[in-house]
Amino acid sequence: ESLAASSFDQFNRIGLALCLLRRGDVAQAMEQIEQFRAWFPQRDLVFRNRFTDPPLRARHAAVMQRLGFAELPG
């Protein structure tokens, strides 16, 4: 079993990092985020939480923050 990100779409690395983190591969997840940062070094990592279910919203925020993302308000 393996997971891989397309080098043509660096934003896939974020989704891959989420999958790896869910699988328990924290080191590999963080490696994907660092590779994403190498392509976009000037960007702050931010996300907008669109989930409406409070427990799901909280879990998503916790995972994204673990990957180094800051939540945008709203």
Side-chain angles (χ1 to χ4, degrees):
E1 175 181 348
S2 65
L3 298 170
S6 164
S7 60
F8 298 105
D9 186 0
Q10 290 299 313
F11 289 97
N12 283 341
R13 292 191 182 281
I14 297 168
L16 177 58
L18 288 169
C19 292
L20 289 166
L21 196 59
R22 182 176 178 134
R23 218 168 70 170
D25 295 334
V26 177
Q28 289 183 20
M30 298 312 291
E31 181 180 319
Q32 292 301 319
I33 294 300
E34 290 308 314
Q35 289 181 24
F36 176 81
R37 283 185 170 278
W39 278 81
F40 303 102
Q42 73 282 2
R43 293 180 183 251
D44 291 330
L45 297 178
V46 296
F47 75 101
R48 189 174 311 273
N49 198 335
R50 302 256 185 225
F51 291 104
T52 56
D53 179 58
L56 182 56
R57 185 178 181 82
R59 284 195 312 270
H60 183 66
V63 169
M64 293 301 286
Q65 289 167 1
R66 187 170 183 187
L67 291 175
F69 285 75
E71 186 173 354
L72 291 173

